[in-house]
Amino acid sequence: MKNAEFFIDYSRCIGCEACVQACGECDTHRGVSMIHLETIARRESVQTAPQICMHCEDPICAQVCPADAIKKTPDGVVQSSLKPRCIGCSNCVMSCPFGVPKYQIDIDQMMKCDMCYDRSSVGKKPMCATVCPSGALTYTTMQDIQRTRRGIPINEWKFGGEVVHTKVYVMVPPEVERVDINLVQIANTDAALPRDPYDVALMLENA
Amino acid sequence: MKKDIRNIARASGSDTMHATTWGLLATAALIGGILVGSRGLRYFDPALVSYAGATLFAAFGLGYRFSMWLRRPPTRLYWFRGWEIFLQPHRFFGNLAHLFEIVWSNIVLQRFIGRRSRMRWTAHWFLAWGCLMAAAITFPLSFGWLHFETLRSSQQIYRAFLFGIPIVQFPVHSIVAELMFNALDIAAVMVLIGVFAALWRRGRDHGAMAVQQFADDLMPLILLFAISITGLFLTASTHLMQGLHYTFLSQLHAITVIITLLYLPFGKFFHIFQRPAQLGVDFYKRAGVEGEQAVCIRCGSMYGSRMHMDDLKRVQAALNINYQLANDTHYQDVCPPCRRKNLALIQDNMWKSTASES
Ligand code: SF4
Ligand code: SF4
């Protein structure tokens, strides 16, 4: 697919985990799923949300890497760590504003979503976008997304004082120009709610 | 805290000036080493001068690149913290023991590569040890640090000299002599095994094929193949073909070695110098586990060491990354799962507020 972009719409996710399974099928990280599928506020709702790498224009993960192990290809895809270089320090894991890289303890290295580079570099859809039934993860052209969706795709974020531009877009209401993360929403986290030892949802969350 | 006034992640002065100085210092140190080790060039073999020259260039390149690399804020921070933690008096002996352990497992046996795949391990282990063995012989030879002589009293006994000092002697026709004089051939065969194993893997692994790059991944294999095969041709020419084309072959071999030496500081081979320097991260992590843990301001769970989060704030400050949030909190104090949940909540709330307005 020519000129295709990746669009993420957290609110469409139905938690089916198809993306999680498909991700592990990718040849560049065979058997290891790179997608994060979060339950958001388990005691209150069944909401879930997927997180893939947003492929930042100036990736913070690469900036904070002491081994210079994270590289961006000319087509803007931020690759997983270079195996001869990565020393498993987790700087990238702890600094990525989207919480993307995963530290793999068995191989003492970081691995992350590389937009299924074996597929997307030859015009195929990444695995997750191929299987997502709800359109939370979509890989298509800009025209197509504008034609079929209610909101608009944007790729500008602000984390405190840090403005981040990403290759991957997020769907937002038409009047929004940038996703501003200035306050972290604490009210409905488990830590803020009274403890309930018989809360099954909480047990699942911590399992 | 004193450390906050002078952020150790931030380097001062000009990068190029510092790197050039370190490059020149490395070259000067090697020149000094060659002069002293070859006893004022007495044992320096002029036939090997081109190798020594290329090595001097490589020394400059390595000094330059290493220094440039250490000027990157995250590298710089780990470098200093790693030494600081390693040299702490109450940890020192434990650290020393741990150092032996990780050198044995990570460098000698390279177990961490085996965990990724057996084929990768086979390729890397043979390549690494073939190259290291060859380097351990050829560098001292070309610097005049190592040379061989027959005894004056007997042509049948060889003597090896290191820095002009006799270290060992052995009969010309002995297993030791055979091993010694064929060590480079053994190394070449090891490298070839590694090259073929690497090519086999790279030719079959779809993932590797998608991300590999010629200059970074295939070029080093081609260079090592060229060095090894021309080296083996030299032996074949001497022993099997009465010295046929020896001069041409030795020039060809020299060219392959010199190109590799010139490539050493800039390409994939730089990781040989990078990785050992980063053993410090292992000590950093151990100290982190023993120390205070960071607690996420959103969910209250522990997600890493306090030292790591504070150091990351220093690295971010040196890189001009500003994660300070509005209500005097810092995004670095939010754990990665909470960052993801928070993003989804914010996007969801945008839609909710639009819906309530309309
Ligand atoms: S989303 Fe995170 S992991 Fe992906 S490129 Fe940006 S900083 Fe790196
Ligand atoms: S874990 Fe690997 S890729 Fe991530 S910052 Fe550390 S060295 Fe770089």
Side-chain angles (χ1 to χ4, degrees):
Chain A
M1 196 184 293
K2 273 227 163 85
N3 304 324
E5 299 289 353
F6 205 114
F7 302 91
I8 189 166
D9 188 345
Y10 303 110
S11 58
R12 279 181 169 241
C13 176
I14 54 168
C16 70
E17 294 206 18
C19 58
V20 177
Q21 298 305 323
C23 182
E25 302 281 318
C26 173
D27 263 338
T28 54
H29 48 86
R30 242 167 325 190
V32 192
S33 185
M34 293 287 113
I35 287 231
H36 298 272
L37 189 70
E38 293 301 335
T39 51
I40 305 302
R42 193 146 214 163
R43 287 167 78 173
E44 309 206 319
S45 86
V46 292
Q47 189 188 351
T48 50
Q51 185 67 57
I52 58 158
C53 174
M54 303 302 284
H55 299 280
C56 304
E57 252 169 42
D58 187 7
I60 291 177
C61 59
Q63 293 183 51
V64 299
C65 172
D68 205 7
I70 303 174
K71 294 286 176 200
K72 203 171 100 176
T73 51
D75 49 355
V77 173
V78 181
Q79 296 290 338
S80 193
S81 73
L82 288 170
K83 299 201 170 56
R85 293 196 186 176
C86 173
I87 46 167
C89 71
S90 289
N91 269 13
C92 54
V93 178
M94 295 301 170
S95 288
C96 164
F98 300 92
V100 167
K102 288 188 178 181
Y103 170 66
Q104 299 294 126
I105 194 161
D106 50 335
I107 56 169
D108 191 23
Q109 293 212 312
M110 175 282 270
M111 285 173 77
K112 73 174 220 13
C113 151
D114 61 357
M115 217 188 252
C116 295
Y117 202 62
D118 57 329
R119 298 174 58 82
S120 58
S121 63
V122 293
K124 291 186 192 166
K125 288 183 182 191
M127 293 300 267
C128 55
T130 312
V131 297
C132 178
S134 66
L137 301 168
T138 311
Y139 190 74
T140 186
T141 59
M142 198 51 105
Q143 292 83 341
D144 195 44
I145 207 88
Q146 281 162 346
R147 190 172 51 78
T148 53
R149 296 284 174 95
R150 219 156 38 101
I152 55 155
I154 58 165
N155 63 349
E156 190 174 315
W157 310 74
K158 193 161 183 247
F159 298 89
E162 191 63 21
V163 178
V164 173
H165 293 99
T166 57
K167 180 175 169 66
V168 173
Y169 291 84
V170 61
M171 300 308 295
V172 292
E175 67 281 5
V176 178
E177 283 168 6
R178 174 168 79 190
V179 182
D180 234 308
I181 288 114
N182 224 338
L183 277 180
V184 172
Q185 314 216 352
I186 296 185
N188 50 3
T189 65
D190 298 325
L193 295 170
R195 284 210 76 77
D196 174 359
Y198 301 107
D199 186 331
V200 179
L202 196 61
M203 286 179 209
L204 282 171
E205 176 99 7
N206 296 332
Chain B
M1 239 195 317
K2 198 166 139 248
K3 279 172 194 134
D4 284 329
I5 299 167
R6 164 125 176 62
N7 185 347
I8 61 166
R10 191 175 270 142
S12 58
S14 137
D15 288 350
T16 326
M17 277 296 286
H18 270 84
T20 311
T21 311
W22 281 108
L24 289 174
L25 278 177
T27 321
L30 185 57
I31 293 176
I34 293 177
L35 285 175
V36 175
S38 65
R39 297 291 181 92
L41 298 186
R42 190 167 0 140
Y43 302 113
F44 187 82
D45 183 350
L48 301 178
V49 70
S50 54
Y51 290 101
T55 314
L56 286 176
F57 177 84
F60 175 81
L62 286 173
Y64 185 94
R65 178 141 185 222
F66 209 87
S67 152
M68 271 295 190
W69 177 59
L70 284 188
R71 291 179 71 79
R72 301 181 66 245
T75 324
R76 194 175 172 78
L77 186 126
Y78 270 126
W79 175 260
F80 287 120
R81 274 279 185 277
W83 282 112
E84 203 177 287
I85 291 169
F86 185 77
L87 297 173
Q88 273 171 355
H90 69 283
R91 290 184 204 270
F92 187 68
F93 289 104
N95 282 346
L96 215 54
H98 184 60
L99 180 67
F100 281 115
E101 202 179 300
I102 51 180
V103 165
W104 175 253
S105 128
N106 290 0
I107 296 181
V108 179
L109 300 180
Q110 306 179 354
R111 283 204 186 110
F112 68 109
I113 301 180
R115 268 177 246 129
R116 287 189 229 137
S117 94
R118 199 167 290 171
M119 201 58 178
R120 193 189 273 272
W121 180 87
T122 311
H124 194 271
W125 193 88
F126 278 98
L127 280 173
W129 282 104
C131 289
L132 286 176
M133 201 166 124
I137 301 164
T138 45
F139 285 119
L141 273 180
S142 72
F143 298 159
W145 292 352
L146 178 69
H147 75 281
F148 297 92
E149 279 175 13
T150 48
L151 281 191
R152 270 196 210 113
S153 53
S154 162
Q155 291 288 318
Q156 295 303 309
I157 305 283
Y158 256 123
R159 227 178 197 190
F161 292 79
L162 190 65
F163 304 126
I165 304 160
I167 43 163
V168 59
Q169 62 182 45
F170 46 85
V172 173
H173 299 291
S174 65
I175 295 180
V176 180
E178 289 296 327
L179 280 177
M180 231 178 258
F181 293 120
N182 289 309
L184 282 177
D185 291 328
I186 298 171
V189 171
M190 285 172 71
V191 170
L192 286 179
I193 294 174
V195 168
F196 286 119
L199 288 175
W200 170 266
R201 188 183 76 78
R202 291 194 170 276
R204 291 167 56 94
D205 182 332
H206 293 284
M209 281 195 268
V211 293
Q212 72 194 2
Q213 285 173 350
F214 181 80
D216 270 345
D217 300 308
L218 299 177
M219 180 78 170
L221 292 175
I222 295 172
L223 286 172
L224 293 179
F225 175 79
I227 294 186
S228 311
I229 208 81
T230 51
L232 286 177
F233 279 167
L234 278 176
T235 308
S237 161
T238 315
H239 294 299
L240 306 176
M241 295 185 278
Q242 288 95 36
L244 186 73
H245 299 312
Y246 190 87
T247 318
F248 168 72
L249 284 173
S250 66
Q251 278 167 356
L252 196 63
H253 182 65
I255 290 171
T256 61
V257 175
I258 289 167
I259 292 177
T260 308
L261 284 171
L262 302 186
Y263 172 82
L264 195 64
F266 307 106
K268 193 175 196 169
F269 293 135
F270 187 63
H271 82 272
I272 304 166
F273 304 91
Q274 244 175 346
R275 293 237 32 149
Q278 291 172 331
L279 290 177
V281 170
D282 215 80
F283 296 100
Y284 185 89
K285 282 204 220 169
R286 275 161 51 108
V289 172
E290 288 164 21
E292 186 193 337
Q293 298 303 295
V295 175
C296 170
I297 52 168
R298 184 173 180 272
C299 69
S301 58
M302 291 193 276
Y303 66 106
S305 75
R306 186 74 263 156
M307 172 172 72
H308 194 193
M309 300 313 142
D310 291 346
D311 279 343
L312 278 173
K313 288 179 189 169
R314 293 190 179 96
V315 169
Q316 288 157 6
L319 290 164
N320 297 321
I321 296 169
N322 178 5
Y323 270 162
Q324 192 65 49
L325 299 176
N327 53 349
D328 210 24
T329 50
H330 199 285
Y331 198 54
Q332 192 54 52
D333 296 324
V334 181
C335 73
C338 277
R339 291 181 195 177
R340 302 190 289 265
K341 294 180 193 207
N342 187 56
L343 284 169
L345 276 171
I346 286 182
Q347 190 243 12
D348 205 37
N349 284 346
M350 284 176 172
W351 286 105
K352 279 189 191 143
S353 50
T354 325
S356 60
E357 277 163 24
S358 58

